Amino acid sequence: MRCTGAQPEDGGRASRDKDNSVTDAILPRRNADEAITAEQQSRASAPVASQGAIKLIYVAGYGRSGTTLLDIALGEHPAIMGAGEVTTLARHVWDNGEYCACGAQVRDCPEWKAIVARWMQGEPDGFLAGYRRAQTLTEGLLAPGRLLRLPGWRRHARRTVKLLRGMTMVSGRPILVDSSKLPGRAFALAAMPGIDLHVVHVVRDGRGVAWSLLKGHRRSVEKGVQRELRPKPLLYTALRWSMVNLATEWLCRRVGPERSIRVRYEDFVDDPRGTIDRIVALVGERPHRGPTDLASFEPQHQVAGSRHRLQKSIVMRGDDKWKREMPGWKQWIFTALCAPLLRRYDYPLRSGDAA
């Protein structure tokens, strides 16, 4: 996916006043540790049910498929907080001082600072380290802590629900988006009392995913690249793309057709607003339109995920350069390995054919 980010005229400001310039530069917004704006204060004071099931949209699928951008687009709805990859908050985001999409380090972001303070209240020393260990035991696809309900499962479920409920209270938005992608985490969330889980299965033509993953990125925390991303071999991507998508199909069957939906990356970038409307309807909300009907979206408080979340605004544009740039023999190998799933998701087996 290519997206163009409009940057602030003054690089020292964190304001979101739009301009007409378009650039591919990805820079953090500065001075984002200012006090919460009046609009944020208004949202934080909005009535949010402190009891009852938490409505959660989980975005599942493989990397480089537009999951972060979908999270950002959903977060523009006034009833929805797009939170990014929530699983990473305790794993590395908080301890490593990584950046929130607002431009501040997450520890200095007023919203996340308030959420984590509420989350840690009443918890023992070493809470985050213990929570990370529990995630390891519960969030894998075949995690023993979840499957066998080992000691500590109930405590982990309670702490997870406590985090999510704090997110709704601080944001003032009753619906959350978690774009952590991996289906194992969603299976854990589905097993936790107090969570009303809805799943969005995002799938992209695997050849485009493979071509993107063949390119690495150097670590640059301030630009949203939390760790060095080394190139992934083609065969590795083909195997993982298949496994993750099959596991996500299994997840969707687990939650049921009335609580799950499949979204193709290519359809999303062609019609972002229409795709968002379908997902919003899934969770029982009405569509929302901003001041214009343009497909421009503004990141808010997403953690981890694509580096594009550190842009001031994003215009969705499909990235199909792989069709022209990926060597034909590599396309052929991936197609031969993944043909059944490519067909299932309505992708042509020859890249030049229309989908």
Side-chain angles (χ1 to χ4, degrees), residues 57-76:
I57 301 171
Y58 190 87
V59 180
Y62 200 59
R64 308 289 175 94
S65 297
T67 54
T68 299
L69 300 181
L70 182 63
D71 187 310
I72 291 167
L74 284 167
E76 289 210 332

Side-chain angles (χ1 to χ4, degrees), residues 311-338:
Q311 294 178 187
K312 179 189 173 186
S313 66
I314 294 172
V315 176
M316 307 296 179
R317 291 193 177 96
D319 181 3
D320 61 356
K321 291 188 295 185
W322 66 270
K323 295 180 180 180
R324 301 180 297 276
E325 299 178 359
M326 188 176 186
W329 66 271
K330 291 186 176 181
Q331 294 189 37
W332 184 89
I333 290 175
F334 192 99
T335 301
L337 293 171
C338 302

Side-chain angles (χ1 to χ4, degrees), residues 39-289:
E39 179 184 359
Q40 286 174 312
Q41 290 174 341
S42 175
R43 287 196 287 106
S45 62
V48 177
S50 60
Q51 300 299 325
I54 300 163
K55 192 169 286 189
L56 177 64
I57 301 171
Y58 190 87
V59 180
Y62 200 59
R64 308 289 175 94
S65 297
T67 54
T68 299
L69 300 181
L70 182 63
D71 187 310
I72 291 167
L74 284 167
E76 289 210 332
H77 193 288
I80 299 175
M81 177 188 179
E85 298 183 4
V86 180
T87 186
T88 65
L89 181 65
R91 290 185 185 273
H92 53 78
V93 166
W94 186 260
D95 284 348
N96 293 347
E98 295 173 11
Y99 280 83
C100 172
C102 72
Q105 288 184 314
V106 69
R107 291 179 181 179
D108 298 323
C109 165
E111 190 139 318
W112 281 109
K113 188 175 182 179
I115 289 168
V116 173
R118 178 186 289 266
W119 188 31
M120 290 185 174
Q121 188 173 8
E123 302 293 347
D125 292 340
F127 165 65
L128 280 185
Y131 189 83
R132 279 194 296 272
R133 289 192 294 271
Q135 284 183 292
T136 301
L137 291 172
T138 60
E139 293 188 8
L141 194 58
L142 300 175
R146 180 184 78 249
L147 296 175
L148 302 177
R149 297 297 193 269
L150 295 178
W153 160 255
R154 289 185 180 180
R155 181 173 61 250
H156 180 67
R158 176 186 62 79
R159 287 172 169 173
T160 300
V161 172
K162 181 182 178 183
L163 168 62
L164 298 177
R165 198 172 300 284
M167 290 163 61
T168 65
M169 296 295 292
V170 172
S171 70
R173 303 188 180 199
I175 304 172
L176 305 176
V177 179
D178 180 353
S179 54
S180 295
K181 296 192 295 290
L182 294 179
R185 172 171 170 80
F187 276 110
L189 293 169
M192 294 179 184
I195 298 177
D196 181 11
L197 185 68
H198 296 73
V199 175
V200 180
H201 178 190
V202 178
V203 62
R204 181 186 180 187
D205 190 317
R207 292 161 292 195
V209 173
W211 183 237
S212 178
L213 287 171
L214 283 169
K215 307 166 189 175
H217 293 280
R218 291 184 178 180
R219 182 177 184 270
S220 179
V221 173
E222 68 278 6
K223 292 184 179 180
V225 183
Q226 316 300 335
R227 64 185 185 280
E228 182 181 0
L229 302 176
R230 297 181 179 178
K232 297 293 191 300
L234 182 69
L235 296 180
Y236 171 89
T237 300
L239 177 62
R240 290 279 298 170
W241 181 84
S242 299
M243 290 177 58
V244 169
N245 281 301
L246 286 172
T248 305
E249 290 188 21
W250 178 21
L251 169 66
C252 290
R253 288 193 291 271
R254 162 73 173 78
V255 301
E258 72 283 356
R259 295 176 182 273
S260 61
I261 191 172
R262 182 181 299 156
V263 170
R264 297 198 323 163
Y265 157 89
E266 295 79 6
D267 299 332
F268 171 50
V269 296
D270 283 346
D271 183 17
R273 298 293 180 185
T275 300
I276 296 306
D277 288 351
R278 290 172 57 211
I279 297 171
V280 166
L282 182 73
V283 296
E285 284 290 331
R286 294 181 179 179
H288 168 72
R289 288 290 184 271

